[in-house]
Amino acid sequence: QVQLVESGGALVQPGESLTLSCAASGFTFTTYSMSWLRQAPGKGLEWVSTISRVGGNRAYADSVKGRFTISRDTDKNTLYLQMNNLKPEDTAVYYCAKYKIPNLTCSGAGCNRPDKDYDAWGQGTQVTVSS
C-alpha cells in the first residue's frame, strides 16, 4: 500500500527557513518522479516543485525559484523541501505527491502537471508564515 507522510510544517516568521519531509513507502521510490504542491487558504492547488526519480532533474514554480530546494534521499525513501526566505504568501498546506507513471520525467514548466498525473498524496502539513 502506497503511503506518503509529510512532516515539518510550522509557524515561522518572514525570512526564516523550514524543511519539509515526506516519508514514502509501499512502492519503489526510485522509479517515480515526486512533487510538492500547496494549497493556500481559499485558493486552488498550486504546483511548487518536482524532482526526477533519482534526483537528476528538478523544476520549480517561478514563485519559489531561488528560495526553495527539492531533494530526495533514495536510501531513506524520503522527499524533502528546503524553504528559505519564507514569505507570508508561502502560507499553505503543503502536499507531496507521487507520479502515476513510472520513469516519467519533465523539465521546467512542463512539470506543472494536472492532478490526474498523480496517484498518491500525503495528508499535508501546514506552513504558516507570519510576524
Side-chain angles (χ1 to χ4, degrees):
Q1 180 181 354
V2 174
Q3 192 170 14
L4 301 173
V5 180
E6 299 101 336
S7 61
L11 169 62
V12 297
Q13 295 189 348
E16 292 188 338
S17 298
L18 200 60
T19 299
L20 305 182
S21 300
C22 171
S25 61
F27 65 101
T28 304
F29 189 59
T30 53
T31 301
Y32 296 88
S33 293
M34 299 287 295
S35 295
W36 286 99
L37 301 97
R38 66 187 182 184
Q39 187 165 23
K43 295 188 177 181
L45 201 61
E46 177 190 16
W47 170 72
V48 174
S49 182
T50 296
I51 187 168
S52 60
R53 59 187 186 90
V54 291
N57 292 326
R58 309 177 193 199
Y60 300 92
D62 288 344
S63 59
V64 306
K65 199 173 295 182
R67 300 187 298 121
F68 290 11
T69 301
I70 191 171
S71 63
R72 64 195 298 167
D73 186 326
T74 55
D75 290 332
K76 296 182 179 179
N77 283 2
T78 301
L79 178 72
Y80 300 99
L81 186 67
Q82 171 69 42
M83 305 183 293
N84 297 327
N85 189 23
L86 282 161
K87 304 175 180 181
E89 51 264 42
D90 294 318
T91 294
V93 177
Y94 284 71
Y95 300 91
C96 62
K98 167 188 167 291
Y99 267 37
K100 181 186 300 183
I101 298 175
N103 302 311
L104 184 64
T105 60
C106 60
S107 62
C111 293
N112 186 0
R113 313 291 287 233
D115 295 355
K116 65 179 180 60
D117 282 3
Y118 300 98
D119 65 353
W121 299 76
Q123 82 287 355
T125 187
Q126 176 70 49
V127 173
T128 303
V129 185
S130 176
S131 55

